[in-house]
Amino acid sequence: MSWKNGAFLALDKVSLNFGGLLAVSDFDFILRQGELVGLIGPNGAGKTTVFNIITGQYEPVRGRVFFKGQDITGWRPDRVTCAGIARTFQNMRLFGGLTVLDNVLVSRHSKLKSSVLAAAFNFPGYIKEEREAKIKAMGLLDRLGLADLAHMRAGNLPYGQQRRVEIARALAADPKVLLLDEPAAGMNPEETIRLMEFISGVRNEFGLTIFLIEHDMKLVMGICERIHVIDYGISIAEGTPKEIQDDPKVISAYLGEEACDYS
Ligand SMILES: Nc1ncnc2c1ncn2[C@@H]1O[C@H](COP(=O)(O)OP(=O)(O)O)[C@@H](O)[C@H]1O
Ligand SMILES: [Mg+2]
């Protein structure tokens, strides 16, 4: 199909229902390599479900998902991650009792080659892999400006730092595409601005393509090149932040009174 030309990640008319509820309906979307695109919409609009379809948590009842031209519909989540799509979750999923470094290492483990048996006997190959994994994880934390936190318990960090660690953990899988589900949720305006800068920096540093779900209007308007709006599972608008901000459909569906608020 011609609209998919040039797409890095594409959703072709995907639909998913939960019982009688159509959570996502005929949803079309493309992400080009290097873009930072936002997905916004009211609570329950279907944003997280779109992510769950991309990453294989749910299989759509209709429609296809393509990544780099390959049909990945129905792939298991770990296979999607291996293919180059990593994500963070709306509700943080860090291991609070583990250090920051261990949280990143847990994510890398799927990439280690040695068997569980080799690990149990501390075979040299395993020890070498572990050491290399640790060096790589420290390198990653360093690039993200988080090296100082490596040995702190993730659960003891302020919320904003935990969000960064979660992004670090997603990046440990060496993704090409990063999906961020409401990264600024629960943050104050100052933390939000700092997180915004962090996300832009990460994108440049790692040459990533980013798809970002957000509720905070300032965050999406400030850093996204394009914004996609979903309401009741249906795509209602797509355009630059300026176009979206001025779109009457978006204003009535989502922004409402807030529309005048973020200039
Ligand atoms: N696992 C599920 N089972 C049943 N209903 C679900 C499930 N996940 C999401 N939904 C419903 O689908 C709709 C879309 O949810 P979601 O994608 O989480 O919205 P958003 O992320 O935009 O707030 C909501 O009405 C929600 O209650
Ligand atoms: Mg959600």
Side-chain angles (χ1 to χ4, degrees):
M1 236 184 279
S2 60
W3 64 269
K4 280 199 248 90
N5 288 344
F8 202 42
L9 177 69
L11 299 181
D12 184 8
K13 296 209 178 320
V14 295
S15 298
L16 179 66
N17 48 293
F18 297 109
L21 177 87
L22 206 50
V24 172
S25 177
D26 279 344
F27 192 79
D28 274 346
F29 172 76
I30 67 165
L31 192 61
R32 296 180 198 90
Q33 190 162 15
E35 274 189 316
L36 202 172
V37 176
L39 178 63
I40 66 171
N43 260 329
K47 304 180 296 297
T48 298
T49 304
V50 167
F51 272 21
N52 284 333
I53 290 171
I54 295 171
T55 56
Q57 262 87 14
Y58 300 139
E59 188 170 350
V61 287
R62 283 192 309 280
R64 316 302 303 171
V65 182
F66 296 91
F67 178 48
K68 295 194 284 188
Q70 185 169 28
D71 187 341
I72 63 163
T73 320
W75 284 21
R76 286 208 331 269
D78 55 345
R79 193 173 169 208
V80 175
T81 309
C82 269
I85 303 176
R87 72 178 290 181
T88 62
F89 290 86
Q90 190 166 350
N91 303 309
M92 226 163 339
R93 294 193 177 179
L94 287 178
F95 297 103
L98 295 185
T99 65
V100 166
L101 181 61
D102 283 339
N103 267 283
V104 174
L105 282 167
V106 167
S107 157
R108 282 209 78 89
H109 257 107
S110 59
K111 296 218 151 192
L112 296 185
K113 286 188 217 78
S114 295
S115 69
V116 173
L117 199 63
F121 287 100
N122 271 345
F123 282 169
Y126 174 76
I127 293 170
K128 185 163 169 273
E129 270 189 16
E130 276 284 298
R131 200 186 314 122
E132 282 168 4
K134 221 173 228 179
I135 291 168
K136 261 192 129 161
M138 274 310 295
L140 175 64
L141 290 172
D142 199 33
R143 281 172 83 186
L144 292 166
L146 302 173
D148 290 352
L149 308 180
H151 301 292
M152 292 180 74
R153 272 165 58 119
N156 290 345
L157 297 174
Y159 201 67
Q161 296 287 35
Q162 292 195 30
R163 281 287 181 190
R164 286 170 173 76
V165 173
E166 227 200 345
I167 292 173
R169 198 172 59 170
L171 292 177
D174 288 330
K176 298 279 174 271
V177 174
L178 184 60
L179 309 180
L180 301 172
D181 195 346
E182 296 201 31
M187 288 190 185
N188 65 37
E190 200 193 311
E191 284 177 318
T192 300
I193 289 169
R194 276 195 265 124
L195 186 74
M196 208 188 315
E197 289 163 0
F198 180 79
I199 292 170
S200 290
V202 163
R203 176 220 195 171
N204 296 336
E205 167 78 20
F206 292 82
L208 289 168
T209 304
I210 297 183
F211 192 23
L212 170 78
I213 292 178
E214 197 42 77
H215 243 88
D216 188 302
M217 284 300 109
K218 279 215 176 80
L219 191 109
V220 277
M221 297 293 171
I223 67 172
C224 294
E225 284 124 26
R226 256 189 327 122
I227 291 173
H228 210 101
V229 190
I230 183 171
D231 192 22
Y232 294 108
I234 293 166
S235 177
I236 60 161
E238 191 265 322
T240 62
K242 177 87 180 89
E243 287 163 351
I244 293 304
Q245 195 172 335
D246 296 338
D247 189 320
K249 270 193 306 228
V250 178
I251 293 168
S252 67
Y254 178 67
L255 301 174
E257 296 301 304
E258 280 177 327
C260 312
D261 228 36
Y262 51 84
S263 52

